[in-house]
């Protein structure tokens, strides 16, 4: 299946991102409980994919509860709260709920139309970002650095920051991509490397701790990342480690470009200071591949995201073009 998330028969079908890269398998989720659990263990993840999951989840809730709109709305609230930072999840849930008055078929039609819309939107946003990168970075071919996973696995079928790489690679403009491993859950190592290899883009994996040094040594022309939530002023919440990359990029005067669909912009939020940052389980840090690697009882700080202030960001680019420009 080319889509990361889709509707088939009466189930939500996802590519199981916990299994990659060892196995490429799909999961059929038939209940809201199953979908919420899949979201929380990151079997489906990435802001645009979470938007699609939220919408399709409401379609599942309507199948489960029929005319009992109170039960549907309770499930919708559970879905929207399954992960707190990516605003797309709540957005997807709310858009599907808006079709509730038209019945089950109307909700499903709305959710399915959002899948096609996501592919088109991210294709356009990343096209705009590719144009910006070509304008801002004189060196050819380009040496890019990215973080976490922002490809088709993070969306429905295209991607945001990696979508930009797809556009640039199609015209032979990419020398290589440095992909940050993205501790502790290794979205870069497991997912981005897999997507880059599949697309035939030259890449090297990079320990997160080596990124600032790679930038300082002049190995990077541009940093490209996605976003989980963009505040109205252009502050960006994204995978933990993004803020450090932005600091290093600013210090060494290379562009730092954020690519996201406009559904990631939370217009109700004036600045990034009040974005809820998900804290995840200590075991993600104290254990590696299921084995303990820290002393028993070690205390852990494990935020899944950080917030980068707008002044460190060259541009936030959506399907409408440049949303905010900073340095
Ligand atoms: O915890 P994750 O893997 O869901 O975090 C994903 C990210 O931080 C991505 O960079 C972001 O959602 C943009 S995906 C196009």
């Amino acid at each position: 299946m080319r889509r990361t998330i889709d509707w088939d028969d009466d189930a939500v079908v996802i590519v199981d991102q916990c299994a990659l890269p060892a196995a490429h398998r799909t999961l059929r989720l038939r209940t809201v409980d199953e979908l919420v659990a899949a979201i929380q263990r990151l079997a489906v993840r990435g802001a645009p994919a979470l938007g699609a999951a939220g919408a399709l989840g409401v379609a599942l809730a309507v199948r489960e509860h029929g005319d009992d709109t109170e039960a549907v709305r309770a499930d919708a609230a559970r879905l929207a709260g399954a992960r707190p930072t990516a605003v797309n999840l709540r957005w997807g849930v709310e858009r599907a709920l808006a079709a509730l008055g038209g019945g089950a078929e109307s909700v499903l039609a709305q959710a399915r139309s959002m899948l096609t819309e996501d592919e088109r939107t991210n294709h356009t946003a990343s096209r705009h970002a590719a144009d910006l990168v070509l304008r801002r970075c004189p060196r050819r071919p380009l040496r890019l650095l990215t973080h976490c996973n922002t490809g088709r696995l993070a969306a429905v079928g295209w991607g945001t920051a990696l979508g930009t790489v797809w556009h640039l690679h199609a015209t032979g403009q990419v020398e290589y991509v440095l992909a940050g491993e993205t501790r502790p859950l290794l979205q870069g190592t497991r997912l981005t490397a897999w997507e880059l290899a599949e697309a035939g883009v030259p890449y090297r994996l990079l320990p997160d701790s080596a990124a600032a040094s790679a930038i300082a040594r002049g190995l990077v022309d541009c940093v490209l990342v996605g976003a989980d939530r963009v505040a109205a002023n252009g502050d960006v919440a994204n995978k933990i480690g993004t803020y450090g990359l932005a600091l290093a990029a600013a210090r060494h005067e290379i562009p730092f470009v954020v690519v996201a669909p406009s559904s990631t912009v939370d217009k109700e939020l004036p600045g990034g200071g009040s974005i809820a940052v998900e804290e995840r389980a200590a075991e993600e840090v104290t254990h590696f591949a299921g084995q303990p690697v820290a002393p028993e009882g070690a205390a852990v700080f494990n935020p899944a995201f950080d917030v980068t202030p707008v002044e460190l960001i060259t541009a936030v680019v959506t399907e409408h073009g440049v949303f905010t420009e900073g340095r």
Side-chain angles (χ1 to χ4, degrees):
M1 123 181 177
R2 285 308 290 177
R3 279 183 168 172
T4 297
I5 179 163
D6 211 341
W7 180 270
D8 180 48
D9 211 356
D10 55 2
V12 177
V13 185
I14 60 166
V15 173
D16 181 1
Q17 298 192 42
C18 296
L20 280 168
H24 185 277
R25 66 173 182 232
T26 53
L27 298 175
R28 294 182 73 81
L29 310 169
R30 291 190 176 78
T31 65
V32 170
D33 282 348
E34 286 175 2
L35 179 55
V36 166
I39 290 170
Q40 287 175 339
R41 69 172 187 276
L42 272 53
V44 56
R45 48 145 298 281
L50 289 174
L56 293 172
V58 174
L60 277 183
V62 175
R63 301 234 151 191
E64 278 182 82
H65 302 299
D67 292 339
D68 184 350
T69 52
E70 211 170 299
V72 171
R73 287 187 186 280
D75 271 356
R78 278 197 309 127
L79 277 163
R83 293 192 74 194
T85 305
V87 71
N88 304 62
L89 181 55
R90 188 185 77 199
W91 168 86
V93 166
E94 283 171 1
R95 272 191 71 182
L97 272 183
L100 200 53
E105 286 318 308
S106 171
V107 170
L108 182 57
Q110 169 73 324
R112 293 183 92 162
S113 75
M114 289 167 65
L115 303 178
T116 316
E117 184 185 300
D118 180 89
E119 290 169 317
R120 201 178 45 236
T121 299
N122 287 323
H123 193 272
T124 306
S126 51
R127 174 76 264 165
H128 289 312
D131 291 344
L132 179 99
V133 171
L134 291 172
R135 279 199 308 276
R136 288 294 201 114
C137 304
R139 190 184 184 281
R140 299 285 182 277
L142 291 155
R143 301 158 314 158
L144 306 166
L145 187 148
T146 193
H147 190 54
C148 196
N149 172 264
T150 60
R152 74 176 168 89
L153 292 170
V156 173
W158 182 256
T160 59
L162 269 194
T164 307
V165 171
W166 310 146
H167 284 302
L168 294 167
H169 176 65
T171 49
Q173 319 236 38
V174 178
E175 181 174 338
Y176 59 70
V177 175
L178 293 178
E181 59 176 351
T182 317
R183 290 273 305 148
L185 294 180
L186 302 175
Q187 289 93 330
T189 306
R190 297 185 299 105
L191 308 175
T192 299
W194 183 81
E195 286 201 58
L196 288 165
E198 196 194 34
V201 179
Y203 73 92
R204 274 192 286 173
L205 275 170
L206 180 84
D208 298 328
S209 46
S213 166
I215 291 170
R217 288 167 62 178
L219 301 177
V220 180
D221 301 312
C222 182
V223 178
L224 280 171
V225 296
D228 286 85
R229 193 181 296 227
V230 180
N233 72 340
D235 291 348
V236 167
N238 190 50
K239 179 54 56 191
I240 190 74
T242 301
Y243 175 47
L245 293 175
L247 286 169
R251 170 69 177 79
H252 296 282
E253 296 178 352
I254 61 165
F256 181 92
V257 177
V258 178
V259 194
S262 60
S263 51
T264 304
V265 179
D266 187 348
K267 295 196 188 79
E268 286 160 28
L269 217 61
S274 44
I275 294 176
V277 171
E278 177 182 3
E279 295 261 349
R280 293 191 57 90
E283 288 69 32
E284 292 179 356
V285 179
T286 57
H287 287 59
F288 191 81
Q291 297 301 313
V293 288
E296 214 180 310
V300 167
F301 175 56
N302 187 21
F305 303 97
D306 57 26
V307 178
T308 300
V310 62
E311 59 267 21
L312 291 177
I313 298 169
T314 305
V316 175
V317 185
T318 75
E319 71 276 19
H320 305 306
V322 173
F323 171 65
T324 49
E325 240 165 323
R327 64 178 181 82

